[in-house]
Amino acid sequence: MRRIDLQPLEPFTSDFIDRTGAFNPGALEAATVIIEQVRQEGDGALRALTEKFDGVAIENFRVPREAIDAAMAEVDPDTLEALKHAAAQIRDFHERQKQQSWFFAREDGAIVGSKVTPLESVGIYVPGGRALYPSTVLMNALPAQVTGVERIVCVTPPTKDGTLDAAILAACKIAGVTEIYTVGGAQAVAALAYGTETIRPVAKITGPGNAFVAAAKKLVSGDVGIDMIAGPSEVCVVADETADPRLVAIDLMAQAEHDPLAACYLVTFSDAYADAVEAAIQVHLADSTRADITRTSLEDHGLIVVCTSMDQALEAVNVIAPEHLEMHVEGAMEYLGAIRNAGAIFLGAWTPEAVGDYVAGPNHTLPTGGTARYSSPLSVDDFVKKSSIIQYSPAALKNDARAVVQIATHEGLWAHARSVALRLKALLDAEQASVAGSAAAGVEDGEARGE
Ligand SMILES: NC(=O)c1ccc[n+]([C@@H]2O[C@H](COP(=O)([O-])OP(=O)(O)OC[C@H]3O[C@@H](n4cnc5c(N)ncnc54)[C@H](O)[C@@H]3O)[C@@H](O)[C@H]2O)c1
Ligand SMILES: N[C@H](CO)Cc1c[nH]c[nH+]1
Ligand SMILES: [Zn+2]
């Protein structure tokens, strides 16, 4: 791994970071061409691109209901049990995130509030190039289901024989996915955004993927909603002398093994400790079933930062803004306040990042490439939209009319001012008429009583 030894008080800047894995110029170019092809040729493009990139010919992208039901019987029972265990904890976590519509009545009778409405349709991208991701089905479909989204469409690349993994289909069934299509990559994102003969477009696309998928989501954003840029995985492990180098090494490798473009960072406090972690990586690599991907990721995109203080380490973390941050240090919780930028924060030696990938409950779809500076983990909020509600009473209009007219006039917006002024005049006229009416009635009453 590349290594930087910081001097005391030397600032860690973004110049130290290589973001080419996350924002890959080649992938952006390729995704642009693919999206255009799908827009022009629809299903024909999906077939051609699936053959080109996944090496299989698919006639019908839609997975029939019978195949989904059959998968429940076909999937290994222990895997099914584990998926159900994970689903229960993910569902529970996301249920707690749910927001209700709310209304507030002001003293002057105005009612203001926020109405929460589930999205009509979402497309969830489930990766499948270099690994299988039934966990990603759960992480994306369950919050959509909890929120009340009616149409939950899953797209995922085919396996080498042109089918889908039974565990993916089982996860779709558990999490209430309503349509499944065997198509992946930038072409699947384009199909969800613009539609084809087979796939109807959706309102929003969520879910992680490789550099091509992340680039495609970025390109279609605006024509369709997207959750975030959730590209090649990242982890930053802050480790002090109390951390076992073998555990730190395996936690770095757990993200490196996702993708040769994954980015892994070790932030530590001595060269000797960094050497121990690097040595442990070599030992683990001998056993790894994914040694090639892992090695490439660590060699090309790995970085070790040797710091002289915890303040400097935390500054580095905030500049890196990693997808996952592991605080493998004594008293990890104490530093939470100083951590500004990280998708998910794992505290202490007993919290390997992998528990967050599968079962802890919080979402594993997380911002990458430094976008944790402004993006949050996928949540139920991604599957709803909000409408503001405003209802004025006559008293509220009288209260606020002067301010509206004043600001609208300053902005040069005549009709804005007039729309309020006319109503105010109508109110005042009605009030005057009523005062005059009461006065006249008073006189009449008096006359009747002979006063
Ligand atoms: N940030 C997160 O929340 C998060 C979560 C899970 C996984 N991930 C990441 O998701 C990614 C999964 O990647 P994957 O590759 O295994 O699956 P994937 O489904 O994202 O990508 C596979 C698809 O990429 C397309 N593709 C491959 N080579 C191409 C090329 N040369 N040109 C154009 N398109 C091409 C193909 O269509 C293929 O179907 C990894 O980077 C992993 O780290 C991120
Ligand atoms: N670590 C991934 C997010 O970067 C999520 C995942 C799914 N399965 C295993 N890991
Ligand atoms: Zn992972």
Side-chain angles (χ1 to χ4, degrees):
M1 289 168 81
R2 187 160 63 92
R3 193 180 294 194
I4 297 167
D5 278 281
L6 293 175
Q7 298 304 308
L9 301 180
E10 182 184 352
F12 182 92
T13 69
S14 55
D15 294 341
F16 290 125
I17 305 172
D18 157 30
R19 302 261 195 222
T20 53
F23 298 106
N24 194 270
L28 204 61
E29 254 175 60
T32 307
V33 174
I34 291 170
I35 291 168
E36 198 42 44
Q37 193 177 340
V38 174
R39 292 189 80 168
Q40 301 285 329
E41 299 162 26
D43 281 349
L46 297 186
R47 284 194 192 93
L49 292 162
T50 303
E51 205 155 345
K52 180 171 175 188
F53 296 123
D54 302 293
V56 288
I58 306 265
E59 196 40 49
N60 216 336
F61 294 102
R62 178 89 186 246
V63 177
R65 186 165 295 279
E66 309 80 67
I68 303 166
D69 292 336
M72 291 299 275
E74 197 187 308
V75 70
D76 158 55
D78 291 340
T79 305
L80 188 61
E81 196 48 46
L83 288 172
K84 287 182 178 169
H85 173 82
Q89 295 188 173
I90 297 164
R91 185 178 274 120
D92 179 60
F93 180 86
H94 290 85
E95 285 280 2
R96 291 166 200 274
Q97 290 181 330
K98 261 171 86 172
Q99 288 190 43
Q100 308 295 332
S101 300
W102 59 270
F103 300 92
F104 166 70
R106 284 181 359 196
E107 270 180 17
D108 60 13
I111 294 172
V112 289
S114 180
K115 177 181 179 294
V116 179
T117 310
L119 300 186
E120 275 175 14
S121 59
V122 295
I124 64 172
Y125 187 88
V126 174
R130 296 177 189 274
L132 298 167
Y133 288 96
S135 56
T136 301
V137 175
L138 301 181
M139 292 289 179
N140 282 260
L142 285 170
Q145 190 192 38
V146 159
T147 309
V149 175
E150 271 178 29
R151 187 172 165 243
I152 307 174
V153 182
C154 171
V155 291
T156 188
T159 53
K160 289 292 161 233
D161 66 3
T163 62
L164 290 183
D165 170 46
I168 298 249
L169 297 180
C172 284
K173 178 96 179 170
I174 291 169
V177 169
T178 56
E179 290 163 44
I180 310 172
Y181 297 95
T182 312
V183 60
Q187 57 275 22
V189 172
L192 289 173
Y194 303 111
T196 67
E197 297 88 323
T198 310
I199 304 179
R200 274 191 296 137
V202 295
K204 184 168 181 174
I205 302 170
T206 71
N210 65 11
F212 299 100
V213 173
K217 278 173 66 186
K218 196 172 174 175
L219 289 166
V220 301
S221 166
D223 289 343
V224 64
I226 68 161
D227 49 354
M228 70 188 90
I229 302 298
S233 298
E234 300 167 353
V235 66
C236 174
V237 181
V238 180
D240 65 12
E241 299 289 331
T242 65
D244 181 337
R246 291 167 304 175
L247 296 182
V248 171
I250 200 72
D251 289 0
L252 291 167
M253 291 171 68
Q255 294 314 294
E257 74 174 355
H258 275 290
D259 192 321
L261 294 179
C264 300
Y265 303 84
L266 168 62
V267 175
T268 190
F269 303 95
S270 77
D271 275 306
Y273 188 86
D275 291 345
V277 173
E278 292 216 272
I281 289 173
Q282 293 312 316
V283 174
H284 290 314
L285 274 173
D287 293 333
S288 168
T289 55
R290 298 172 70 86
D292 285 350
I293 299 176
T294 309
R295 197 177 286 114
T296 309
S297 154
L298 293 175
E299 280 174 9
D300 293 357
H301 301 286
L303 177 66
I304 297 176
V305 187
V306 180
C307 298
T308 58
S309 68
M310 185 53 100
D311 282 351
Q312 200 175 36
L314 293 170
E315 182 187 44
V317 165
N318 285 328
V319 173
I320 294 166
E323 180 194 8
H324 307 103
L325 170 66
E326 279 193 10
M327 290 299 287
H328 226 309
V329 296
E330 193 161 26
M333 185 68 96
E334 282 170 35
Y335 302 108
L336 210 46
I339 299 164
R340 186 179 282 272
N341 302 325
I345 304 169
F346 299 77
L347 299 172
W350 298 104
T351 323
E353 187 278 341
V355 296
D357 281 349
Y358 297 116
V359 292
N363 213 285
H364 82 198
T365 307
L366 296 165
T368 57
T371 60
R373 283 175 296 125
Y374 52 83
S375 290
S376 309
L378 190 72
S379 76
V380 296
D381 292 348
D382 283 291
F383 297 97
V384 297
K385 59 198 178 61
K386 293 170 189 160
S387 306
S388 297
I389 305 298
I390 305 170
Q391 177 179 288
Y392 260 48
S393 63
L397 193 80
K398 273 168 78 182
N399 260 347
D400 289 350
R402 185 183 294 275
V404 175
V405 171
Q406 192 67 34
I407 298 170
T409 306
H410 183 87
E411 291 184 351
L413 296 173
W414 175 85
H416 286 63
R418 194 83 179 137
S419 70
V420 170
L422 282 176
R423 283 177 171 82
L424 183 64
K425 183 172 182 313
L427 269 179
L428 295 177
D429 286 351
E431 272 177 15
Q432 256 178 7
S434 138
V435 170
S438 322
V443 172
E444 275 171 21
D445 280 355
E447 281 173 356
R449 288 197 298 273
E451 290 165 3

